[in-house]
Amino acid sequence: MISHEDKVLILGLESSCDDTSCAVLLNGKMLANIAAAQKIHEQYGGVVPELAGRSHQQNIVPVVDAALKEAGVNISEINAIAFTRGPGLMGSLLVGVSFAKSLSLALNIPLIEVNHMQAHILAHFILSPFDGAQGDKIKLQPKFPFLCLTVSGGHTQLVRVADPYTFELLGETIDDAAGEAFDKGAKILGLPYPGGPLIDKYAKEGNPEKFKFSKPKVPDLNFSYSGLKTSLLYFVRDHVKENENFVTENLNDLCASYQKTIIDILIEKLISAAEQTGIKEIAIAGGVSANSALRSAIEKTGKEKGWNVFIPEFQFCTDNAAMIAMAGYFKYLRKDFCGLDVAPLARWGVEKGI
Ligand code: KG4
Ligand code: ZN
């Protein structure tokens, strides 16, 4: 077992979708977290896997250089390389995995595979360089066991986290993810990709009670979002037949009402999961946790239910390498390393990988 007292520098690499990111963490404290977003996908209305892989190839070296420079760390000081093994787009993952293997071989340091969905959750443990320094308090972190609602572009999951190495999937989406509901809904409303942040923006000016969309009836702790997206499609189609300007005239109210339905579904399931498990330590994670209405809804529900609520900083909601390095640090403490024969996994359950 490696002691927490040792100085451990982890370099994290994230390339599962359309952000190329590199971070450097010193014992869980973030020294640098650099990401290159890929603008190219906007014109196609979604991530084009082939283009994402090519952009990662172009971005990865400059992004790693920039992270090391910002951290003020020489590459020879790094103790281990943590990388996203999956889940994600195969062509995108391949770039990060191959790069991580080469670095580990060249520097003769351990390689640590990280499950992207576990990393989103463990982002709650990333410390800033000021945490604990000069008498400052260390930021509050969820106590184990806690519940995490992970809402990203590809996943919607309710996870019971027993410790940094034990994840139990309590429920997940049976079709579209919450992030997809945002992005596909935005497309129906004529907004560019990724539509989630735009729906968030327009919804702030709209009335969430103006239009009603029916919620799916899914048993247990699973979710379903494809029906909601289709009901928005038919609703818009029917109204546009009568008034071709219906969407532009009602954009704010449409965004607010649609967003409210997405969030109500998430909150209802989260309440059920908290009641069923008796857990009151509640966290959210993933790209959709950047949504302002979801953040306030969780805060409000948390006050009503007596939960301790944990909401990530914006920089740790969407894909980032700091969360990969954090998950890598936990594994480093257990000397949980992988070999150079490791291959990316497009699908990889949140319970796996430890
Ligand atoms: O976690 P993430 O960066 O990537 C995946 O692992 O999928 O999540 C991306 C998703 C996209 O669907 C994007 O529209 C959504 O997060 N998103 C938002 C907001 N910011 C990002 N959705 C709603 N409101 C936001 N403010
Ligand atoms: Zn993600």
Side-chain angles (χ1 to χ4, degrees):
M1 187 82 177
I2 290 152
S3 151
H4 286 269
E5 305 304 315
D6 291 328
K7 187 177 164 219
V8 181
L9 275 167
I10 306 278
L11 184 136
L13 289 168
E14 156 61 29
S15 76
S16 65
C17 191
D18 59 344
D19 292 302
T20 321
S21 180
C22 177
V24 179
L25 259 63
L26 171 62
N27 291 11
K29 284 192 183 185
M30 196 186 81
L31 304 185
N33 184 33
I34 304 282
Q38 302 177 0
K39 286 270 180 211
I40 188 149
H41 307 288
E42 274 173 20
Q43 57 187 291
Y44 298 99
V47 178
V48 184
E50 172 67 20
L51 297 179
R54 288 192 213 178
S55 298
H56 284 305
Q57 287 280 18
Q58 286 166 352
N59 294 342
I60 199 153
V61 172
V63 164
V64 170
D65 277 345
L68 286 166
K69 197 167 168 210
E70 183 163 316
V73 165
N74 189 290
I75 197 158
S76 61
E77 297 173 78
I78 299 290
N79 296 96
I81 311 288
F83 66 95
T84 307
R85 185 179 176 195
L89 300 171
M90 187 46 89
S92 294
L93 290 167
L94 267 170
V95 179
V97 174
S98 311
F99 193 88
K101 285 191 204 182
S102 320
L103 263 188
S104 132
L105 191 62
L107 300 170
N108 194 23
I109 54 173
L111 190 57
I112 305 172
E113 58 177 19
V114 170
N115 179 308
H116 182 92
M117 300 315 295
Q118 292 177 358
H120 267 302
I121 298 173
L122 295 174
H124 283 283
F125 298 90
I126 303 168
L127 298 175
S128 90
F130 310 107
D131 276 313
Q134 291 160 353
D136 279 7
K137 274 197 201 142
I138 293 190
K139 81 165 178 194
L140 284 180
Q141 299 174 344
K143 285 189 209 72
F144 298 104
F146 68 90
L147 279 185
C148 188
L149 171 69
T150 315
V151 269
S152 70
H155 296 82
T156 301
Q157 299 180 331
L158 269 167
V159 182
R160 182 183 184 277
V161 190
D163 59 47
Y165 311 96
T166 315
F167 301 80
E168 183 192 347
L169 183 66
L170 304 177
E172 66 181 333
T173 181
I174 54 170
D175 42 55
D176 287 351
E180 270 173 295
F182 270 105
D183 296 338
K184 291 178 180 176
K187 204 169 179 176
I188 293 167
L189 299 175
L191 302 172
Y193 177 86
L198 291 170
I199 291 197
D200 190 351
K201 184 177 140 199
Y202 293 118
K204 283 184 184 142
E205 311 297 324
N207 173 6
E209 306 296 341
K210 177 83 179 278
F211 305 112
K212 295 281 172 221
F213 299 103
S214 57
K215 288 185 225 153
K217 289 184 180 48
V218 185
D220 49 46
L221 296 175
N222 287 328
F223 302 85
S224 166
Y225 278 108
S226 71
L228 174 62
K229 168 199 65 191
T230 314
S231 67
L232 176 71
L233 181 71
Y234 291 158
F235 183 82
V236 165
R237 192 193 58 186
D238 292 348
H239 283 80
V240 166
K241 271 187 206 153
E242 283 156 29
N243 168 12
E244 60 177 352
N245 298 322
F246 175 74
V247 172
T248 37
E249 285 170 10
N250 294 281
L251 187 62
N252 295 344
D253 293 340
L254 280 165
C255 287
S257 305
Y258 182 67
Q259 173 177 277
K260 181 179 187 298
T261 318
I262 295 178
I263 293 172
D264 284 352
I265 296 168
L266 293 173
I267 299 284
E268 279 168 23
K269 294 286 174 167
L270 189 52
I271 291 173
S272 303
E275 282 169 0
Q276 282 177 31
T277 56
I279 296 176
K280 287 179 179 282
E281 295 279 303
I282 308 288
I284 52 171
V288 180
S289 64
N291 182 273
S292 54
L294 175 62
R295 293 165 87 93
S296 11
I298 297 263
E299 292 271 21
K300 183 171 165 279
T301 313
K303 283 201 184 98
E304 287 162 13
K305 303 277 175 193
W307 296 343
N308 289 323
V309 166
F310 300 88
I311 297 173
E313 277 176 44
F314 283 110
Q315 61 169 331
F316 303 136
C317 292
T318 46
D319 289 348
N320 65 88
M323 68 185 197
I324 304 301
M326 188 68 226
Y329 176 59
F330 281 119
K331 293 181 92 171
Y332 186 93
L333 294 175
R334 282 188 159 189
K335 291 196 177 183
D336 185 355
F337 307 139
C338 67
L340 286 171
D341 55 350
V342 66
L345 294 170
R347 292 176 160 270
W348 205 18
V350 67
E351 295 174 324
K352 311 269 169 57
I354 293 288

